[in-house]
Amino acid sequence: MTRELTTEELDKLIELSVKAKEKAYCPYSNFRVGATLLDVDGNWHTGANIENASYGGAICAERTVFIKAISEGQRKFVALGVSTDTRHYARPCGICRQFMIEFEDILPIYLIQPDRSYQKVILKDLLPDSFGPEIMKMSRVTENTTP
């Protein structure tokens, strides 16, 4: 769903993303990330990155917040906020991009710096030529039943 956020929604997205970052568990990288997802029903979902000594077991804030929302039954989203402690606009990693595009390719993502300034990007622009459910349905090969 594409629509512009109201000023109040944008302020709340930024505020919740910054607060979510405080809950990050990142003893190995010390790279805190907080994310907030607004769904089409007006619900706010928050999450943070959670690391693990087995690095492959770590999960990014973006996937954390999507998993929380999806596991509660939501599949339609309005906007995502991502907050870090860096002074540049940190974009979601490749795994997160692919994970999120499964649900909303034109999702606006607000990349939030510590001073609360932000840059707005669109998910599909971060992952051009992506594939999702529609491609998987079109590309299924049927078994050849001829001898």
Side-chain angles (χ1 to χ4, degrees):
M1 174 178 191
T2 302
R3 72 167 175 81
E4 290 297 317
L5 294 180
T6 66
T7 302
E8 294 79 19
E9 287 173 329
L10 180 56
D11 289 344
K12 187 168 184 175
L13 185 80
I14 292 169
E15 181 65 27
L16 291 174
S17 297
V18 170
K19 284 184 179 179
K21 180 176 62 176
E22 296 170 6
K23 296 179 181 172
Y25 176 75
C26 52
Y28 307 102
S29 71
N30 293 312
F31 187 77
R32 300 185 314 159
V33 182
T36 300
L37 189 58
L38 174 60
D39 70 34
V40 296
D41 295 329
N43 300 308
W44 297 91
H45 310 271
T46 62
N49 58 318
I50 302 167
E51 294 180 349
N52 189 279
S54 169
Y55 292 160
I59 185 167
C60 301
E62 297 90 335
R63 281 182 287 147
T64 297
V65 75
F66 264 81
I67 288 167
K68 288 173 69 175
I70 292 162
S71 67
E72 293 297 324
Q74 189 53 258
R75 302 287 191 277
K76 303 273 185 202
F77 306 102
V78 176
L80 173 70
V82 179
S83 175
T84 66
D85 293 322
T86 62
R87 290 198 174 106
H88 73 279
Y89 297 106
R91 287 156 169 68
C93 74
I95 293 171
C96 287
R97 294 175 194 194
Q98 182 61 52
F99 188 92
M100 295 184 298
I101 214 153
E102 181 88 5
F103 301 96
E104 187 65 58
D105 66 342
I106 55 173
L107 182 71
I109 302 173
Y110 293 82
L111 308 170
I112 304 161
Q113 292 185 346
D115 67 0
R116 299 177 188 241
S117 62
Y118 66 89
Q119 179 184 68
K120 178 183 169 184
V121 297
I122 303 299
L123 178 56
K124 71 177 181 175
D125 296 336
L126 296 179
L127 191 62
D129 299 323
S130 65
F131 65 94
E134 69 287 344
I135 298 297
M136 299 303 286
K137 289 176 189 171
M138 292 178 359
S139 66
R140 289 198 179 122
V141 178
T142 57
E143 286 187 39
N144 185 352
T145 56
T146 58

